[in-house]
């Protein structure tokens, strides 16, 4: 049996940056479900917010809270914004290269609902990939792939470790401290921008163990996604495109978003996503992202990956416009925790990054605050753990094991049904009737002969639908049609 000081579940930016804070003399294991770059960080395009300086903190806080429909935890937002100055400096000092102008000054960009340019980026439109690669190289601790966690070992308010399938072999991993950094819930939705590994398993275990999830009704949909691909992960067209001046138009070239909000393309993400969804439904017209205002060389240099990816699909950018649809992008809610990542009533278990609900995002996350939240709270959880006294923890025996029932034959069909119902009934526009129908279907599936992993997904889906039913009025990304 393996025993560690600290076990980190997830090798995205949150998991890796927390590992980077922990000295080499601690026995740390970072695990990920598949290969390490199959995580949402890898696919993040636009950038990472950073407060420009102390003077920018109040404005960043107020932008974050306005986008979040004033549902945010203000103290958590202030901590995130203030700490960004220190974490961004740390990441740069360690050697991460963000994009610079020809004089060597860092370039800042803007995305929707930001008052000023305060987003740093790398590789043009490959910020997540560059940061992930950098942190993979910087991490000095053991990283173990193909490790699918299917249970948390909990007794009397303490977590002692996990049970996981490691290269398909059931394995118990014990640790004094376990940090959940497993990301969000993307695979629950038919149309999503997430890595295929992000499938809400750990959220589902938390539901089973009575650990609170919070703000689960606030699922975020990205407005500009190319969904016409056969793969589960749909192709994001970063919000930075609109930040730099791209338009959303219909078949006739009309910039219809001004019918929904005076800020047009730069309204907050929930408003833009809903506007596109509604306009397409009402008019039967297609919506496009139009880049024709950009000069070709500049565009290719600023958005090299998008230019290349869409080139292979037959779109010549910036000349051609691309058809778009909103798609699920990010879980604003998650496993409830405080600003050190601690989970109420649970010793030894912590949560950071998209898996967590710190309260920083409120009802709708401000663009590019996700990579920032991940690094700030990754640092804070590591600091918190390193300040704890060592205890001689005696591990109880955990007999129950689900290894032989992770999957059942019909799971694939049910998963597909679940993804469809999540998209149609717990998606961008919700009705009480639709939510009840979804709840019934989820309940019905739970009572069938299903595997453990599907059961965990269904636990999380139930938490989302129950939160959505409990919030009768619209707020941020939770929109109820009456
Ligand atoms: C994007 O590049 O549009 C995504 C950034 C984010 O999710 O904040």
């Amino acid at each position: 049996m393996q025993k560690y000081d600290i076990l980190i579940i997830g090798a995205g930016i949150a998991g890796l940056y927390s590992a980077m804070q922990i000295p080499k003399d601690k026995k740390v294991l970072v695990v990920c479900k598949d290969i390490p770059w199959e995580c949402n960080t890898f696919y993040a395009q636009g950038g990472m917010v950073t407060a420009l300086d102390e003077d920018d903190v109040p404005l960043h806080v107020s932008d974050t809270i306005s986008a979040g429909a004033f549902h945010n935890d203000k103290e958590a937002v202030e901590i995130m914004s203030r700490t960004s100055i220190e974490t961004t400096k740390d990441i740069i000092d360690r050697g991460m290269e963000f994009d610079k102008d020809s004089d060597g000054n860092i370039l800042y960009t803007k995305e929707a609902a930001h008052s000023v340019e305060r987003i740093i980026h790398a590789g043009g439109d490959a910020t997540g990939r560059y940061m992930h690669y950098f942190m993979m190289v910087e991490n000095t601790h053991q990283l173990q792939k193909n490790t699918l966690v299917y249970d948390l070992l909990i007794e009397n308010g303490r977590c002692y470790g996990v049970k996981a399938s490691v290269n398909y072999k059931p394995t118990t991993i014990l640790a004094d401290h376990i940090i959940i950094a497993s990301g969000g819930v993307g695979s629950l939705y038919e149309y999503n921008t997430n890595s295929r590994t992000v499938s809400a398993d750990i959220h589902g275990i938390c539901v089973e163990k009575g650990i609170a999830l919070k703000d689960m009704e606030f699922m975020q949909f990205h407005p500009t996604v190319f969904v016409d691909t056969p793969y589960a992960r749909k192709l994001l067209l970063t919000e930075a495109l609109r930040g730099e001046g791209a338009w959303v138009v219909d078949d006739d070239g009309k910039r219809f978003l001004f019918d929904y909000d005076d800020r047009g393309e730069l309204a907050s993400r929930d408003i833009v996503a809903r506007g596109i969804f509604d306009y397409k439904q009402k008019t039967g017209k297609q919506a496009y992202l139009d880049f024709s205002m950009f000069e070709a060389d500049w565009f290719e240099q600023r958005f090299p990956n998008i230019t290349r990816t869409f080139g292979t699909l037959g779109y010549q950018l910036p000349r051609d416009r691309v058809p778009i649809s909103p798609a699920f992008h990010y879980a604003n809610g998650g496993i409830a925790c405080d600003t050190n990542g601690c989970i109420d009533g649970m010793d030894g278990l912590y949560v950071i990054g998209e898996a967590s609900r710190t309260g920083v995002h409120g009802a709708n996350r401000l663009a590019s605050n996700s990579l920032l939240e991940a690094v700030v709270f990754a640092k804070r959880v590591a600091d918190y753990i390193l300040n704890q006294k060592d205890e001689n923890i005696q591990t109880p025996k955990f007999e129950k094991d689900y290894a032989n029932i992770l999957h059942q034959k019909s799971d694939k069909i049910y998963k597909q049904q679940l993804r469809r119902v999540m998209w149609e009934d717990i998606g961008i526009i919700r009705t009480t009737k639709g939510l009840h129908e979804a709840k019934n279907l989820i309940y019905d599936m739970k009572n069938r002969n299903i595997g453990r992993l599907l059961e965990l997904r269904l636990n999380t889906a139930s938490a989302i639908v129950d939160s959505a039913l409990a919030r009768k009025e619209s707020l941020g990304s939770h929109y109820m049609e009456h």
Side-chain angles (χ1 to χ4, degrees), residues 459-472:
N459 286 349
T460 310
S462 293
I464 299 173
V465 77
D466 287 345
S467 301
L469 276 167
R471 189 173 293 282
K472 308 273 181 247

Side-chain angles (χ1 to χ4, degrees), residues 381-395:
V381 80
D383 289 350
Y384 179 87
I385 291 172
L386 294 173
N387 278 323
Q388 303 301 299
K389 278 207 290 288
D390 283 344
E391 284 175 70
N392 186 12
I393 294 164
Q394 297 302 316
T395 308

Side-chain angles (χ1 to χ4, degrees), residues 144-158:
Q144 182 174 288
K145 58 185 181 171
N146 291 333
T147 302
L148 189 160
V149 172
Y150 56 79
D151 205 5
L152 294 170
L153 303 178
I154 289 175
E155 196 174 284
N156 294 332
R158 165 165 270 287

Side-chain angles (χ1 to χ4, degrees), residues 40 66 92-93 101 109 167 236 248 356 378 404 450 456 468 472:
N40 278 350
S66 311
I92 291 171
D93 288 350
D101 67 14
T109 193
N167 293 319
L236 185 68
V248 173
S356 70
N404 59 349
I450 54 170
L456 297 179
K472 308 273 181 247

